[in-house]
Amino acid sequence: MRPPKTGRGGGGSGGGRGLARGGGVSSTRGRGRGRESGRGRGPGRVKSRESESGGIKGGSKVLVTPHRHAGVFVAKSKADALVTKNLVPGEIIYNEKRIFVQNEDRSTVEYRVWNPHRSKLADAITTGVDNIWIKPGVKVLYLGASSGYTVSHVSDIVGPEGCVYAVEHSDICGKVLMNMAEKRTNVIPIIEDARDPAKYRMLVGMVDVIFSDVAQPDQAKILSLNASYFLKSGGHFMISIKANSIDSTIAAETVYQMEVEKLQMEELRPTEILHLDSCEEKHACVFGGYRLPRKQKADNAV
Amino acid sequence: MAMFLLSESSSGYLLLEVHGLDEIGQNTEAVRSSVSDLSRFGRVVQLIAFHPYQSALDALNQINAVSEGYMSDELRSFLELNLPKVKEGKKPKFSLGVSEPKIGSCIFEATKIPCQSNEFVHELLRGVRQHFDRFIKDLKPGDLEKAQLGLAHSYSRAKVKFNVNRVDNMVIQAIFLLDTLDKDINSFAMRVREWYSWHFPELVKIVNDNYLYARVSKIIVDKSKLSEEHVPMLTEILGDEDKAREVVEAGKASMGQDLSPVDLINVQSFAQRVMDLADYRKKLYDYLVTKMSDIAPNLASLIGEMVGARLISHAGSLTNLAKCPSSTLQILGAEKALFRALKTRGNTPKYGLIFHSSFISRASAKNKGRIARFLANKCSIASRIDCFSDSSTTAFGEKLREQVEERLDFYDKGVAPRKNVDVMKEVMENLEKKDEGEKTVEASEKKKKRKTEEKEEEKEEEKSKKKKKKSKVVEGEELTTENGHSKKKKKKTKSQDDE
């Protein structure tokens, strides 16, 4: 595994000092160029032992621009990477790379790289989904939070006004999730089976978006039950379907159709079906709305 | 027919009354349209009573009861207080809507309040959840989330069996404090020496140790008052009568300045502080040792508490340490040298923090690297056992230590060490025997209480039979005991049966 975190902390302070010098240099050069980023963390990162972001080496010039989706950004250098703004500057969750950008007033903004190979939501964004419905200030119910990788990025996006209710059943992942949630106050960890929303009904308010990544054969039912408890009318959902975990004997397309039909019966109307073939195999993402008002149907070009 | 609603939230219980039932009827569609319109919904559903939880502990009890579907006493008193009384024998003219049927049946059994939980109720409760902050006027926008956050954390901790004693944070903090304390005590002690030397310069050369110096200076106070009477006391501190006499002699012929009593008092109090800090450091070290044996007993018995604690704090937590490969563990602490060597394609360091354990110094120069690698491998095993095993025993750590000793012998003399498989098997057997022994000891104690000696003799026979059986069946097959349970050998320490 990667070298330990506090070792990085030691390297980080060295990098921080280097950053001040580097920032000083680049800001004089870059004034004509608009937003210029500082160097990545110091010498320790040049070797870039994390290959997570695929191609971004520490110390290279990176330009960060907002993505079409609010709260998500794109870091452009030799290879593009999806990043989110770190809600807790200075903390990393699982050894992801960070990108530091210097503003004109010498303050640094920290971004964390989001790896589409590890996160289905990032995969969906890079594949080009229309609307993820998760933006700053919304409340998200996240089923199947696992160790909290994607949850941390969603928490970055929704920011301090929003909140993420992360439901995860397993103990081991739950411990990691809870450690992460202690640092981030907009993540509410719930170690409970998502099949039983009645059990955690005291902990969850009404949410705007439900994100489901549970990989269970009855996941449509899980989503619809949770939606009936917690998803507001006119809210949206995203469900990631792994064809093999529903039924590995029939073709993937058929599985997706079946799931979509099951969802439609429960008033979860899909608006987009995205095949994630770039990073995963036989996976699809379905985005949609819950109890959307009838008159929208005529306007929607679905 | 009046209808009430019970809504459970993170801040408390809510009881609401549903009006306008006639116009809505039991029509879920109508409810839905009213939910979306806040003012309409406010007329349909009105708050009757709100019962906030008394404390965080109370809230945790409530959520445990609610999630299991039981009715707690607080809920019962809340309902009985605020709902119309149910008269004996008469059918109540109201009903209570709840989220799920289980808690409804509990409430009905205990208090005879009729409950219903159907789609209609579900829609109404959705509305309540949506407009929650409107019902409770005192709550500010972020309050509900804070309550949810706190309650979720305590609920989840209980689920994950968060054990306070096995928190490795304490060790990390203690080690940092120990290092800081050492530095501070050293600088203060130097200060005492310098300060007191203004008065008595020769003492610095005679008494070298900082701690002893502070104590001696406290006893002497004013050097002009030094005499033979002080010799026994000084001997007690210094341990050497000659030195004590030297001190007294030097005191008489000292060339240092005299200090006023006020100055002397100041020096004394500072010297006292230094001594107190040194004592505290000792206590902190003992605390660290205890904590290490709580959270990582195998690691502590393998490489010692200090090195073990440093490794844990460097890695960030015991889990991080367990997750890293042993090659990383080997060079933890030598990152600067490592990356420099990687960049310049030189030789990478052979050891990091591990160097401070006693084994590396005992190996000859040629074998230091090999022993470091071997030790790092064993440390990885020990830390993984500590992190993920439920029981806490030092059996594995001790055996691993033996293995390292054997390996050292091998490099010295060529004595072939045992295979790891055999050593581990031995440990498992010892642990099982210990469990068995404890079990039969418990059982035999009970029997002594109730039955006669004959039974005791029978038990002894059984015990010896069991041990014989064990020695036969040693190849990891299933063991069947007298009472018919079968024990399988697992990879980790098993202690769930009786510990």
Side-chain angles (χ1 to χ4, degrees):
Chain A
M1 211 177 109
R2 302 278 79 92
K5 260 203 307 196
T6 38
R8 295 255 140 228
S13 59
R17 287 196 293 279
L19 183 64
R21 289 198 304 275
V25 171
S26 67
S27 69
T28 48
R29 273 188 302 170
R31 223 167 274 156
R33 267 203 266 173
R35 258 173 90 167
E36 174 82 53
S37 87
R39 319 221 143 244
R41 288 170 65 209
R45 295 272 293 276
V46 169
K47 269 295 152 185
S48 61
R49 285 167 75 172
E50 292 102 331
S51 55
E52 302 255 351
S53 76
I56 292 219
K57 304 244 185 284
S60 57
K61 287 277 179 327
V62 185
L63 186 62
V64 177
T65 50
H67 197 276
R68 183 163 49 90
H69 304 297
V72 185
F73 301 85
V74 182
K76 292 192 195 304
S77 80
K78 270 186 277 187
D80 289 356
L82 210 58
V83 296
T84 58
K85 191 157 155 188
N86 200 351
L87 189 71
V88 190
E91 293 280 336
I92 57 175
I93 314 284
Y94 54 87
N95 293 324
E96 68 272 21
K97 285 186 132 202
R98 282 180 285 171
I99 296 177
F100 296 84
V101 174
Q102 281 235 331
N103 288 333
E104 283 83 33
D105 56 352
R106 289 301 189 99
S107 64
T108 343
V109 187
E110 195 176 306
Y111 295 93
R112 292 189 304 131
V113 176
W114 199 359
N115 186 1
H117 289 270
R118 278 183 80 151
S119 167
K120 306 227 179 47
L121 187 54
D123 198 2
I125 295 177
T126 48
T127 319
V129 66
D130 236 358
N131 201 334
I132 55 170
W133 308 108
I134 300 179
K135 43 176 168 300
V138 305
K139 300 204 190 333
V140 182
L141 173 64
Y142 196 116
L143 305 173
S146 169
S147 313
Y149 175 91
T150 311
V151 172
S152 69
H153 286 284
V154 172
S155 132
D156 280 347
I157 297 178
V158 302
E161 284 84 35
C163 97
V164 184
Y165 299 91
V167 179
E168 169 56 41
H169 196 195
S170 112
D171 283 352
I172 308 172
C173 289
K175 272 194 198 142
V176 182
L177 184 65
M178 284 183 58
N179 278 336
M180 193 261 291
E182 273 174 28
K183 306 272 172 49
R184 282 163 185 269
T185 49
N186 64 354
V187 175
I188 298 184
I190 302 173
I191 314 295
E192 194 50 87
D193 193 354
R195 288 195 177 86
D196 246 337
K199 285 201 160 179
Y200 49 89
R201 67 181 186 271
M202 274 172 76
L203 297 170
V204 186
M206 215 65 173
V207 299
D208 307 302
V209 186
I210 293 191
F211 183 98
S212 166
D213 189 8
V214 289
Q216 299 281 322
D218 55 346
Q219 61 185 19
K221 187 149 140 313
I222 295 175
L223 179 60
S224 58
L225 197 55
N226 276 283
S228 73
Y229 269 85
F230 305 124
L231 186 56
K232 71 173 192 200
S233 299
H236 297 270
F237 67 92
M238 167 179 165
I239 181 169
S240 101
I241 306 180
K242 182 173 166 185
N244 278 341
S245 78
I246 310 278
D247 191 336
S248 52
T249 55
I250 52 184
E253 282 297 332
T254 333
V255 172
Y256 304 146
Q257 274 310 111
M258 270 169 46
E259 291 302 301
V260 165
E261 275 165 32
K262 281 189 217 164
L263 292 173
Q264 277 170 326
M265 286 203 306
E266 301 282 341
E267 299 182 279
L268 291 158
R269 187 145 35 89
T271 51
E272 258 187 277
I273 302 178
L274 211 64
H275 287 86
L276 303 174
D277 285 322
S278 55
C279 298
E280 316 261 2
E281 222 186 71
K282 290 172 114 183
H283 272 76
C285 260
V286 180
F287 291 80
Y290 183 56
R291 295 193 185 177
L292 298 169
R294 290 279 160 73
K295 63 175 164 71
Q296 264 194 17
K297 218 173 181 177
D299 301 337
N300 253 351
V302 170
Chain B
M1 179 89 158
M3 178 145 171
F4 297 93
L5 287 175
L6 171 67
S7 169
E8 310 93 342
S9 79
S10 304
S11 17
Y13 289 122
L14 284 92
L15 195 62
L16 307 107
E17 187 170 358
V18 184
H19 296 276
L21 261 180
D22 313 316
E23 53 177 58
I24 300 183
Q26 293 266 339
N27 191 350
T28 38
E29 272 306 314
V31 176
R32 265 191 228 175
S33 55
S34 76
V35 163
S36 50
D37 187 356
L38 176 55
S39 47
R40 271 181 66 192
F41 191 68
R43 284 197 298 272
V44 172
V45 172
Q46 274 169 8
L47 179 70
I48 301 179
F50 172 59
H51 171 80
Y53 304 129
Q54 307 299 341
S55 66
L57 191 57
D58 181 36
L60 183 59
N61 290 335
Q62 300 306 313
I63 189 174
N64 282 332
V66 164
S67 75
E68 296 298 313
Y70 297 119
M71 180 178 66
S72 66
D73 294 330
E74 285 85 0
L75 178 59
R76 181 187 178 146
S77 49
F78 173 62
L79 289 175
E80 287 184 334
L81 197 63
N82 293 299
L83 287 174
K85 295 277 173 296
V86 181
K87 298 198 184 44
E88 289 291 324
K90 279 200 183 170
K91 200 159 170 292
K93 290 206 192 80
F94 64 93
S95 82
L96 178 67
V98 287
S99 313
E100 48 146 12
K102 197 166 169 204
I103 198 172
S105 58
C106 263
I107 296 178
F108 180 63
E109 270 176 42
T111 62
K112 300 284 173 285
I113 300 172
C115 297
Q116 56 170 329
S117 86
N118 48 24
E119 263 204 52
F120 179 59
V121 169
H122 206 70
E123 287 302 323
L124 286 168
L125 284 173
R126 265 178 69 95
V128 173
R129 194 186 294 276
Q130 176 110 14
H131 303 296
F132 186 82
D133 43 5
R134 196 196 154 276
F135 287 112
I136 312 293
K137 299 284 187 310
D138 299 331
L139 279 182
K140 295 188 288 294
D143 275 357
L144 183 62
E145 272 86 41
K146 286 203 192 82
Q148 286 169 343
L149 185 63
L151 192 54
H153 269 279
S154 43
Y155 181 65
S156 306
R157 272 192 204 133
K159 287 272 166 171
V160 173
K161 292 184 199 48
F162 180 72
N163 189 349
V164 181
N165 284 337
R166 299 191 79 195
V167 174
D168 50 9
N169 239 329
M170 300 296 116
V171 167
I172 299 173
Q173 298 297 334
I175 261 278
F176 278 138
L177 182 57
L178 214 58
D179 287 340
T180 323
L181 261 183
D182 279 338
K183 266 191 252 160
D184 287 344
I185 291 178
N186 199 24
S187 46
F188 289 159
M190 299 311 284
R191 184 57 43 215
V192 169
R193 287 162 92 93
E194 271 204 51
W195 203 351
Y196 196 66
S197 300
W198 181 244
H199 177 64
F200 189 174
E202 290 78 9
L203 191 57
V204 185
K205 295 192 196 72
I206 303 176
V207 184
N208 277 325
D209 184 52
N210 285 339
Y211 184 60
L212 292 178
Y213 188 93
R215 290 183 71 185
V216 169
S217 72
K218 246 192 77 84
I219 299 234
I220 300 178
V221 186
D222 194 351
K223 67 171 189 283
S224 48
K225 300 206 181 56
L226 254 183
S227 68
E228 288 295 318
E229 316 156 345
H230 289 102
V231 173
M233 279 193 293
L234 287 175
T235 326
E236 212 186 302
I237 301 177
L238 292 170
D240 191 3
E241 205 185 323
D242 289 336
K243 273 228 158 107
R245 288 191 185 284
E246 248 190 273
V247 171
V248 175
E249 290 299 317
K252 289 186 191 144
S254 169
M255 47 177 184
Q257 292 242 3
D258 276 331
L259 290 179
S260 70
V262 180
D263 298 334
L264 283 172
I265 291 175
N266 256 321
V267 184
Q268 293 328 301
S269 55
F270 188 41
Q272 182 61 40
R273 277 255 180 276
V274 174
M275 280 166 52
D276 290 341
L277 270 180
D279 287 333
Y280 174 66
R281 190 214 177 272
K282 212 188 263 140
K283 284 206 204 96
L284 186 65
Y285 180 73
D286 293 331
Y287 167 73
L288 180 68
V289 168
T290 334
K291 266 292 160 179
M292 274 300 285
S293 66
D294 273 339
I295 70 163
N298 292 304
L299 196 61
S301 63
L302 175 58
I303 46 171
E305 285 82 11
M306 284 296 283
V307 186
R310 277 196 205 283
L311 281 174
I312 293 179
S313 93
H314 195 97
S317 82
L318 185 57
T319 329
N320 284 355
L321 186 68
K323 282 191 199 167
C324 43
S326 49
S327 53
T328 305
L329 205 147
Q330 185 177 350
I331 45 150
L332 262 186
E335 278 87 7
K336 190 157 157 231
L338 174 70
F339 288 117
R340 188 181 59 212
L342 286 176
K343 255 204 285 180
T344 59
R345 294 161 206 264
N347 277 336
T348 52
K350 295 193 283 292
Y351 22 67
L353 288 168
I354 283 230
F355 187 69
H356 297 112
S357 74
S358 56
F359 302 114
I360 310 262
S361 47
R362 281 157 58 182
S364 65
K366 197 162 64 94
N367 295 319
K368 277 205 195 326
R370 295 191 186 128
I371 283 292
R373 188 186 63 233
F374 189 75
L375 184 62
N377 295 346
K378 296 304 171 192
C379 284
S380 264
I381 297 179
S383 69
R384 283 163 196 169
I385 296 176
D386 286 327
C387 182
F388 298 113
S389 150
D390 289 326
S391 70
S392 128
T393 151
T394 60
F396 284 102
E398 281 152 22
K399 285 289 172 189
L400 289 169
R401 203 189 164 90
E402 276 177 32
Q403 283 192 295
V404 184
E405 302 272 358
E406 281 175 19
R407 179 57 67 117
L408 273 170
D409 276 341
F410 171 67
Y411 284 132
D412 274 339
K413 300 167 199 130
V415 178
R418 295 174 290 175
K419 283 187 156 305
N420 189 34
V421 174
D422 301 328
V423 180
M424 288 296 132
K425 212 186 293 177
E426 214 183 293
V427 185
M428 304 287 301
E429 278 171 33
N430 284 341
L431 284 171
E432 275 192 28
K433 254 189 233 163
K434 209 169 55 132
D435 291 350
E436 277 285 292
E438 279 178 16
K439 256 197 178 160
T440 48
V441 162
E442 277 175 29
S444 70
E445 274 180 9
K446 281 192 193 153
K447 291 208 170 173
K448 266 186 209 163
K449 284 181 196 163
R450 340 184 222 125
K451 293 191 183 168
T452 61
E453 279 189 7
E454 300 160 342
K455 292 281 178 174
E456 213 181 301
E457 283 171 16
E458 248 178 86
K459 261 256 134 218
E460 301 259 1
E461 275 185 62
E462 286 181 7
K463 248 201 267 182
S464 57
K465 265 195 226 158
K466 274 188 205 160
K467 287 220 165 118
K468 277 193 206 149
K469 260 197 185 178
K470 247 202 222 295
S471 56
K472 279 190 221 154
V473 190
V474 127
E475 264 82 58
E477 291 161 293
E478 286 184 46
L479 293 169
T480 48
T481 65
E482 295 290 292
N483 21 3
H485 299 297
S486 64
K487 295 184 187 181
K488 269 207 187 134
K489 287 206 181 182
K490 294 178 209 158
K491 281 204 177 162
K492 295 205 196 144
T493 328
K494 68 157 191 58
S495 59
Q496 296 86 335
D497 295 349
D498 42 339
E499 244 126 55

